[in-house]
Amino acid sequence: MNIIFFGPPGAGKGTQAKIIEDKYGLKQLSTGDMLRAEVSEGTELGLQAKEIMDRGELVSDEIVIGMIAARVDSPECSKGVIFDGFPRTEAQAAALDAMLVERGQKIDMVLELLVDDEALVARIEKRALEEGRSDDNIEALKNRLAQYRSYSAEVLPYYRAQGDVPAVDGMKPIDEVTAQIESIFASQEAA
Ligand code: AMP
């Protein structure tokens, strides 16, 4: 089962993906996490990406598609993947579809986590204190929210044209959000 989680920064995509990953044996692939790992390892790719990420802009399609392609065949992805923060452009979405078709797979479910902007600001301020991420500051958040609005406006219609994109109320406590996601799984399996 391959799932895509959409949602603005701080919506809880990462938290929910980790819970679903553990329960269903799926593998979360977050291009943001992969890029941060490159940055902290000081690789050439990481050095290129850091400035772009700190500005809250998008890293090139080529880089992120390459990172995903390098991971989808690993044994940990054999039961399926939760894509988190990817795809962010129509070109990434088309490349992902092509990658899955080659493997006799597809995207089975696309979900959007919805959270109010005010709550996002509060969550990001908290995460900045706890994790010290260099892109967790209010100015970068505003850019990343604008980035989310713009990339979701590009990519969600691509998926809506293929089927339903259920919304999940991300304002609820973590376990209730998980319950909503699981009930969407159950309704899709029953369909
Ligand atoms: P995230 O943790 O998903 O918000 O990603 C952090 C930053 O990494 C983003 O603001 C972008 O600069 C970059 N990034 C992550 N995923 C992608 C992607 N799919 N396409 C382009 N840039 C990305």
Side-chain angles (χ1 to χ4, degrees):
M1 177 161 66
N2 295 303
I3 304 170
I4 302 176
F5 273 180
F6 277 97
K13 295 189 300 289
T15 304
Q16 292 300 326
K18 288 212 167 66
I19 296 170
I20 299 299
E21 186 177 44
D22 292 345
K23 275 196 169 173
Y24 295 85
L26 305 178
K27 178 67 191 162
Q28 177 204 17
L29 293 184
S30 154
T31 40
D33 285 350
M34 291 180 204
L35 288 165
R36 279 184 288 280
E38 298 279 345
V39 171
S40 66
E41 285 160 23
T43 64
E44 198 176 318
L45 192 158
L47 291 175
Q48 280 175 25
K50 186 175 187 317
E51 266 186 50
I52 301 171
M53 292 166 74
D54 283 347
R55 287 199 302 267
E57 293 170 7
L58 288 183
V59 172
S60 76
D61 287 339
E62 198 190 344
I63 287 180
V64 292
I65 292 167
M67 288 192 317
I68 292 287
R71 295 290 293 277
V72 286
D73 291 323
S74 61
E76 58 190 13
C77 293
S78 64
K79 286 195 174 167
V81 174
I82 304 165
F83 295 96
D84 169 5
F86 177 90
R88 270 166 149 97
T89 63
E90 210 176 318
Q92 292 176 21
L96 177 59
D97 273 349
M99 228 184 273
L100 294 174
V101 166
E102 272 177 23
R103 291 161 176 80
Q105 296 180 40
K106 62 180 172 56
I107 294 295
D108 300 289
M109 207 176 306
V110 184
L111 301 176
E112 187 183 18
L113 263 109
L114 301 178
V115 177
D116 294 348
D117 284 6
E118 277 170 33
L120 291 177
V121 171
R123 286 182 188 185
I124 292 285
E125 281 175 333
K126 187 165 171 270
R127 188 165 72 183
L129 289 174
E130 288 169 0
E131 297 177 17
R133 272 174 52 169
S134 60
D135 59 352
D136 274 346
N137 58 67
I138 295 305
E139 198 172 326
L141 171 65
K142 283 188 188 149
N143 283 335
R144 291 169 69 224
L145 270 177
Q147 183 198 97
Y148 177 68
R149 300 266 135 71
S150 118
Y151 86 69
S152 59
E154 176 175 340
V155 182
L156 282 176
Y158 178 93
Y159 288 108
R160 289 202 172 106
Q162 298 180 18
D164 193 23
V165 177
V168 174
D169 180 358
M171 296 295 289
K172 295 267 168 25
I174 290 174
D175 56 341
E176 288 180 33
V177 176
T178 308
Q180 288 178 66
I181 294 172
E182 294 193 284
S183 85
I184 294 169
F185 286 2
S187 66
Q188 302 246 335
E189 268 167 19

